[in-house]
mmCIF file of all heavy atoms in Angstrom:
data_model
loop_
_atom_site.group_PDB
_atom_site.id
_atom_site.type_symbol
_atom_site.label_atom_id
_atom_site.label_comp_id
_atom_site.label_asym_id
_atom_site.label_seq_id
_atom_site.Cartn_x
_atom_site.Cartn_y
_atom_site.Cartn_z
ATOM 1 N N ILE A 467 20.232 41.917 -42.547
ATOM 2 C CA ILE A 467 20.344 40.598 -43.153
ATOM 3 C C ILE A 467 18.935 40.067 -43.508
ATOM 4 O O ILE A 467 18.708 39.510 -44.597
ATOM 5 C CB ILE A 467 21.041 39.633 -42.207
ATOM 6 C CG1 ILE A 467 22.527 40.060 -42.029
ATOM 7 C CG2 ILE A 467 20.953 38.167 -42.669
ATOM 8 C CD1 ILE A 467 23.243 39.355 -40.891
ATOM 9 N N ARG A 468 17.951 40.265 -42.607
ATOM 10 C CA ARG A 468 16.601 39.756 -42.873
ATOM 11 C C ARG A 468 15.983 40.450 -44.077
ATOM 12 O O ARG A 468 15.271 39.820 -44.869
ATOM 13 C CB ARG A 468 15.743 39.939 -41.633
ATOM 14 C CG ARG A 468 16.003 38.978 -40.503
ATOM 15 C CD ARG A 468 15.830 37.546 -40.903
ATOM 16 N NE ARG A 468 14.584 37.267 -41.582
ATOM 17 C CZ ARG A 468 14.348 36.249 -42.349
ATOM 18 N NH1 ARG A 468 15.274 35.342 -42.541
ATOM 19 N NH2 ARG A 468 13.137 36.040 -42.878
ATOM 20 N N ALA A 469 16.193 41.760 -44.192
ATOM 21 C CA ALA A 469 15.639 42.491 -45.335
ATOM 22 C C ALA A 469 16.158 41.968 -46.686
ATOM 23 O O ALA A 469 15.377 41.766 -47.611
ATOM 24 C CB ALA A 469 15.897 43.976 -45.202
ATOM 25 N N TYR A 470 17.466 41.691 -46.729
ATOM 26 C CA TYR A 470 18.040 41.130 -47.965
ATOM 27 C C TYR A 470 17.603 39.691 -48.232
ATOM 28 O O TYR A 470 17.330 39.325 -49.362
ATOM 29 C CB TYR A 470 19.560 41.220 -47.902
ATOM 30 C CG TYR A 470 20.100 42.615 -48.262
ATOM 31 C CD1 TYR A 470 20.616 43.463 -47.293
ATOM 32 C CD2 TYR A 470 20.062 43.064 -49.590
ATOM 33 C CE1 TYR A 470 21.096 44.725 -47.614
ATOM 34 C CE2 TYR A 470 20.533 44.308 -49.888
ATOM 35 C CZ TYR A 470 21.031 45.138 -48.925
ATOM 36 O OH TYR A 470 21.486 46.385 -49.213
ATOM 37 N N MET A 471 17.508 38.902 -47.184
ATOM 38 C CA MET A 471 17.110 37.541 -47.340
ATOM 39 C C MET A 471 15.612 37.448 -47.803
ATOM 40 O O MET A 471 15.266 36.642 -48.609
ATOM 41 C CB MET A 471 17.268 36.758 -46.024
ATOM 42 C CG MET A 471 18.699 36.452 -45.673
ATOM 43 S SD MET A 471 18.885 35.503 -44.130
ATOM 44 C CE MET A 471 18.137 33.978 -44.648
ATOM 45 N N GLY A 472 14.778 38.331 -47.241
ATOM 46 C CA GLY A 472 13.375 38.334 -47.649
ATOM 47 C C GLY A 472 13.170 38.789 -49.094
ATOM 48 O O GLY A 472 12.298 38.299 -49.817
ATOM 49 N N ALA A 473 14.048 39.730 -49.521
ATOM 50 C CA ALA A 473 13.883 40.283 -50.860
ATOM 51 C C ALA A 473 14.459 39.391 -51.975
ATOM 52 O O ALA A 473 13.876 39.176 -53.009
ATOM 53 C CB ALA A 473 14.500 41.666 -50.959
ATOM 54 N N PHE A 474 15.681 38.838 -51.719
ATOM 55 C CA PHE A 474 16.432 38.138 -52.758
ATOM 56 C C PHE A 474 16.359 36.629 -52.600
ATOM 57 O O PHE A 474 16.524 35.900 -53.563
ATOM 58 C CB PHE A 474 17.849 38.614 -52.797
ATOM 59 C CG PHE A 474 18.006 40.077 -53.088
ATOM 60 C CD1 PHE A 474 18.449 40.978 -52.170
ATOM 61 C CD2 PHE A 474 17.671 40.557 -54.349
ATOM 62 C CE1 PHE A 474 18.589 42.321 -52.436
ATOM 63 C CE2 PHE A 474 17.777 41.912 -54.657
ATOM 64 C CZ PHE A 474 18.255 42.783 -53.687
ATOM 65 N N ALA A 475 16.121 36.133 -51.398
ATOM 66 C CA ALA A 475 16.051 34.667 -51.185
ATOM 67 C C ALA A 475 14.606 34.205 -50.969
ATOM 68 O O ALA A 475 14.381 33.011 -50.768
ATOM 69 C CB ALA A 475 16.932 34.251 -50.031
ATOM 70 N N ALA A 476 13.652 35.161 -50.961
ATOM 71 C CA ALA A 476 12.254 34.843 -50.765
ATOM 72 C C ALA A 476 12.037 34.062 -49.497
ATOM 73 O O ALA A 476 11.253 33.099 -49.433
ATOM 74 C CB ALA A 476 11.669 34.118 -51.955
ATOM 75 N N ASP A 477 12.782 34.418 -48.429
ATOM 76 C CA ASP A 477 12.705 33.719 -47.162
ATOM 77 C C ASP A 477 11.702 34.413 -46.244
ATOM 78 O O ASP A 477 12.032 35.367 -45.537
ATOM 79 C CB ASP A 477 14.093 33.690 -46.485
ATOM 80 C CG ASP A 477 14.095 32.959 -45.176
ATOM 81 O OD1 ASP A 477 13.184 32.169 -44.974
ATOM 82 O OD2 ASP A 477 15.060 33.167 -44.404
ATOM 83 N N PHE A 478 10.433 33.911 -46.233
ATOM 84 C CA PHE A 478 9.410 34.526 -45.391
ATOM 85 C C PHE A 478 9.406 33.784 -44.077
ATOM 86 O O PHE A 478 8.925 32.659 -43.982
ATOM 87 C CB PHE A 478 8.083 34.413 -46.065
ATOM 88 C CG PHE A 478 6.960 35.115 -45.252
ATOM 89 C CD1 PHE A 478 6.899 36.513 -45.236
ATOM 90 C CD2 PHE A 478 6.102 34.375 -44.506
ATOM 91 C CE1 PHE A 478 5.886 37.150 -44.527
ATOM 92 C CE2 PHE A 478 5.067 35.012 -43.768
ATOM 93 C CZ PHE A 478 5.004 36.412 -43.763
ATOM 94 N N ASN A 479 9.966 34.385 -43.055
ATOM 95 C CA ASN A 479 10.054 33.808 -41.732
ATOM 96 C C ASN A 479 9.679 34.906 -40.699
ATOM 97 O O ASN A 479 10.530 35.738 -40.365
ATOM 98 C CB ASN A 479 11.440 33.253 -41.468
ATOM 99 C CG ASN A 479 11.545 32.455 -40.167
ATOM 100 O OD1 ASN A 479 10.747 32.666 -39.251
ATOM 101 N ND2 ASN A 479 12.494 31.559 -40.079
ATOM 102 N N GLU A 480 8.444 34.885 -40.272
ATOM 103 C CA GLU A 480 7.968 35.938 -39.423
ATOM 104 C C GLU A 480 8.687 35.995 -38.079
ATOM 105 O O GLU A 480 8.926 37.068 -37.540
ATOM 106 C CB GLU A 480 6.424 35.749 -39.190
ATOM 107 C CG GLU A 480 5.749 36.972 -38.646
ATOM 108 C CD GLU A 480 4.240 36.850 -38.653
ATOM 109 O OE1 GLU A 480 3.708 36.214 -39.587
ATOM 110 O OE2 GLU A 480 3.599 37.365 -37.717
ATOM 111 N N ASN A 481 9.007 34.786 -37.539
ATOM 112 C CA ASN A 481 9.713 34.780 -36.233
ATOM 113 C C ASN A 481 11.123 35.405 -36.360
ATOM 114 O O ASN A 481 11.571 36.138 -35.465
ATOM 115 C CB ASN A 481 9.814 33.341 -35.734
ATOM 116 C CG ASN A 481 8.487 32.786 -35.318
ATOM 117 O OD1 ASN A 481 7.627 33.528 -34.801
ATOM 118 N ND2 ASN A 481 8.267 31.501 -35.479
ATOM 119 N N ALA A 482 11.789 35.099 -37.479
ATOM 120 C CA ALA A 482 13.132 35.660 -37.673
ATOM 121 C C ALA A 482 13.039 37.206 -37.853
ATOM 122 O O ALA A 482 13.893 37.951 -37.383
ATOM 123 C CB ALA A 482 13.793 35.049 -38.898
ATOM 124 N N ASP A 483 12.013 37.653 -38.614
ATOM 125 C CA ASP A 483 11.821 39.107 -38.764
ATOM 126 C C ASP A 483 11.579 39.785 -37.438
ATOM 127 O O ASP A 483 12.088 40.850 -37.137
ATOM 128 C CB ASP A 483 10.657 39.368 -39.718
ATOM 129 C CG ASP A 483 10.941 38.959 -41.153
ATOM 130 O OD1 ASP A 483 12.143 38.724 -41.455
ATOM 131 O OD2 ASP A 483 10.028 38.881 -41.952
ATOM 132 N N LEU A 484 10.762 39.124 -36.596
ATOM 133 C CA LEU A 484 10.441 39.650 -35.281
ATOM 134 C C LEU A 484 11.695 39.738 -34.392
ATOM 135 O O LEU A 484 11.872 40.687 -33.659
ATOM 136 C CB LEU A 484 9.352 38.833 -34.645
ATOM 137 C CG LEU A 484 8.690 39.405 -33.351
ATOM 138 C CD1 LEU A 484 8.102 40.756 -33.570
ATOM 139 C CD2 LEU A 484 7.608 38.408 -32.861
ATOM 140 N N SER A 485 12.531 38.704 -34.487
ATOM 141 C CA SER A 485 13.750 38.711 -33.706
ATOM 142 C C SER A 485 14.686 39.879 -34.159
ATOM 143 O O SER A 485 15.322 40.491 -33.311
ATOM 144 C CB SER A 485 14.521 37.374 -33.886
ATOM 145 O OG SER A 485 13.723 36.281 -33.401
ATOM 146 N N ALA A 486 14.718 40.080 -35.462
ATOM 147 C CA ALA A 486 15.542 41.223 -35.966
ATOM 148 C C ALA A 486 15.015 42.566 -35.458
ATOM 149 O O ALA A 486 15.827 43.450 -35.060
ATOM 150 C CB ALA A 486 15.535 41.206 -37.484
ATOM 151 N N LEU A 487 13.672 42.731 -35.418
ATOM 152 C CA LEU A 487 13.105 43.967 -34.865
ATOM 153 C C LEU A 487 13.407 44.117 -33.395
ATOM 154 O O LEU A 487 13.638 45.238 -32.895
ATOM 155 C CB LEU A 487 11.599 43.977 -35.110
ATOM 156 C CG LEU A 487 11.132 44.043 -36.566
ATOM 157 C CD1 LEU A 487 9.627 43.949 -36.658
ATOM 158 C CD2 LEU A 487 11.585 45.347 -37.195
ATOM 159 N N ARG A 488 13.406 42.981 -32.656
ATOM 160 C CA ARG A 488 13.718 43.057 -31.238
ATOM 161 C C ARG A 488 15.168 43.456 -31.000
ATOM 162 O O ARG A 488 15.486 44.215 -30.092
ATOM 163 C CB ARG A 488 13.417 41.700 -30.585
ATOM 164 C CG ARG A 488 11.964 41.450 -30.398
ATOM 165 C CD ARG A 488 11.688 40.046 -29.927
ATOM 166 N NE ARG A 488 10.248 39.829 -29.641
ATOM 167 C CZ ARG A 488 9.679 38.636 -29.641
ATOM 168 N NH1 ARG A 488 10.358 37.564 -29.885
ATOM 169 N NH2 ARG A 488 8.359 38.533 -29.336
ATOM 170 N N PHE A 489 16.063 42.918 -31.839
ATOM 171 C CA PHE A 489 17.464 43.345 -31.725
ATOM 172 C C PHE A 489 17.590 44.832 -31.962
ATOM 173 O O PHE A 489 18.344 45.519 -31.227
ATOM 174 C CB PHE A 489 18.312 42.599 -32.803
ATOM 175 C CG PHE A 489 18.985 41.327 -32.266
ATOM 176 C CD1 PHE A 489 18.420 40.102 -32.477
ATOM 177 C CD2 PHE A 489 20.160 41.455 -31.551
ATOM 178 C CE1 PHE A 489 19.039 38.955 -32.003
ATOM 179 C CE2 PHE A 489 20.771 40.311 -31.066
ATOM 180 C CZ PHE A 489 20.205 39.035 -31.294
ATOM 181 N N LEU A 490 16.902 45.361 -32.941
ATOM 182 C CA LEU A 490 16.960 46.808 -33.245
ATOM 183 C C LEU A 490 16.456 47.611 -32.036
ATOM 184 O O LEU A 490 16.989 48.682 -31.722
ATOM 185 C CB LEU A 490 16.145 47.134 -34.493
ATOM 186 C CG LEU A 490 16.272 48.515 -35.058
ATOM 187 C CD1 LEU A 490 17.670 48.716 -35.636
ATOM 188 C CD2 LEU A 490 15.262 48.744 -36.191
#
Side-chain angles (χ1 to χ4, degrees):
I467 294 169
R468 285 304 307 162
Y470 278 107
M471 288 181 67
F474 298 111
D477 181 20
F478 184 76
N479 188 336
E480 195 170 326
N481 289 328
D483 291 345
L484 190 57
S485 298
L487 293 175
R488 284 172 176 158
F489 264 99
L490 190 67

